[in-house]
Amino acid sequence: VRVGEDPVASEPIVLVLYGIGGSRNDHYVKHMAHACRASGWRPVVLTYWRLDWNEWRDLDAAVRRISEKHPLAPLFAVAHSASAYILVQYLAAKGDATPIVAAVSIGGCMDFLRTFEFVKHTKNITYRRVFERGIRRCVRRHHAHDPFIPKDQRHAHAHKLTKIKHGANIIYDRHIAALPRATFVPPPAPEDCEDRDPAFTPVRRKLSIKHRVATVFSAKAGARTS
C-alpha cells in the first residue's frame, strides 16, 4: 500500500505463495511484491502453508478472508515450486467457486519424487543440501503449529524426523505417515466444498514405506502428487 494513501477498493490483489522451506522474506517473494506494487497491484503473502501437500484448506481460508475483506478487488494467485501443487489442488477442488480470477504456477513441482531424483542426479551438493534443508524447515514449522500433535511431543518428534539422512523424499514420507491427522483422501467435488467438515480427517496409516511413497508421489499411479 502506498504510504500516506488509502488503497483503492478495486485495486487488484496478488496472493503470493513461496516454495519449499521459504518465507515472505525470500528475495524472489520480495521482488514479486515490489513488481506488483509498482504496477498498482496489492501483494499478499501466505505464511505459512503446512507440510501436507494434499491439504489445500489453509489456502482456501486465506482466499476467502481476502475476498470477504476486499470484495471489489480482483484476486490473482502466483505460486512458486512446491506451493504451486497446493494451488493446483485448491483450484481443482473449488472449480468455478473460487474467487481467484487467474493463477500462475512458476516452476511448479507436480511430482515430488521425480523432482527429488532430478535434484539428486543433476544438481551439485550445495543445491541438494539447500533442498533438504528446506524440507527440514517445513517439518519443524508444521510440528510447531499442528494442534493435533501434543505440545510436549512436538520438538522431539520434529527433531527425530529432521535427523533422517536418506533424502527429502523419505523425510516427507515419514513426516506424513507420523501425523495424527492428515489428508490422505482426494479433495471433495466442487459442489461439496461448502458443506465440508472443517476438521481434519483422522487417518491411520498402516502401509509399508514403499507403498506409501508410491501412493503419495506416483503420478503414473493416478495419485495426487507433490
Side-chain angles (χ1 to χ4, degrees):
V1 177
R2 300 182 185 89
V3 177
E5 296 183 22
D6 292 328
V8 178
S10 59
E11 277 187 344
I13 296 175
V14 181
L15 177 59
V16 181
L17 293 87
Y18 43 75
I20 190 167
S23 77
R24 60 189 177 190
N25 294 317
D26 284 359
H27 68 279
Y28 62 91
V29 175
K30 290 183 176 181
H31 180 77
M32 174 69 69
H34 285 301
C36 291
R37 189 62 265 174
S39 299
W41 295 35
R42 289 176 283 175
V44 178
V45 182
L46 176 61
T47 306
Y48 298 105
W49 44 266
R50 74 190 71 207
L51 187 58
D52 178 355
W53 281 312
N54 280 332
E55 179 56 74
W56 46 264
R57 283 174 288 179
D58 288 340
L59 175 58
D60 183 37
V63 169
R64 284 189 285 106
R65 172 64 173 166
I66 294 169
S67 180
E68 291 168 1
K69 191 173 181 179
H70 306 281
L72 300 181
L75 178 59
F76 300 81
V78 177
H80 298 78
S81 190
S83 64
Y85 181 70
I86 300 174
L87 176 60
V88 169
Q89 288 270 65
Y90 162 80
L91 293 173
K94 297 294 286 186
D96 293 337
T98 178
I100 293 176
V101 298
V104 178
S105 166
I106 301 178
C109 174
M110 302 301 166
D111 189 324
F112 185 79
L113 181 59
R114 289 186 179 182
T115 300
F116 170 77
E117 291 297 328
F118 174 79
V119 170
K120 179 179 178 181
H121 295 292
T122 66
K123 301 298 182 182
N124 59 40
I125 187 64
T126 300
Y127 191 98
R128 294 199 299 271
R129 287 176 176 172
V130 170
F131 185 72
E132 292 193 6
R133 187 167 66 236
I135 196 76
R136 290 187 174 93
R137 186 179 297 123
C138 286
V139 167
R140 286 191 290 268
R141 285 177 185 168
H142 186 116
H143 280 71
H145 298 95
D146 191 331
F148 298 111
I149 300 176
K151 290 184 178 180
D152 60 346
Q153 299 178 18
R154 291 178 183 178
H155 177 74
H157 206 173
H159 180 74
K160 183 178 180 180
L161 289 169
T162 55
K163 288 297 182 181
I164 294 174
K165 303 296 185 182
H166 303 301
N169 59 333
I170 301 300
I171 294 173
Y172 178 74
D173 176 73
R174 300 284 178 84
H175 161 74
I176 289 295
L179 292 181
R181 297 187 180 186
T183 52
F184 198 59
V185 294
E191 61 269 23
D192 297 330
C193 288
E194 294 301 322
D195 298 325
R196 174 96 175 195
D197 185 349
F200 282 90
T201 303
V203 175
R204 295 295 181 183
R205 306 209 174 184
K206 298 184 181 298
L207 304 177
S208 67
I209 292 295
K210 181 178 180 181
H211 189 185
R212 283 202 304 269
V213 171
T215 304
V216 174
F217 297 124
S218 175
K220 291 184 178 179
R224 298 185 180 276
T225 58
S226 301

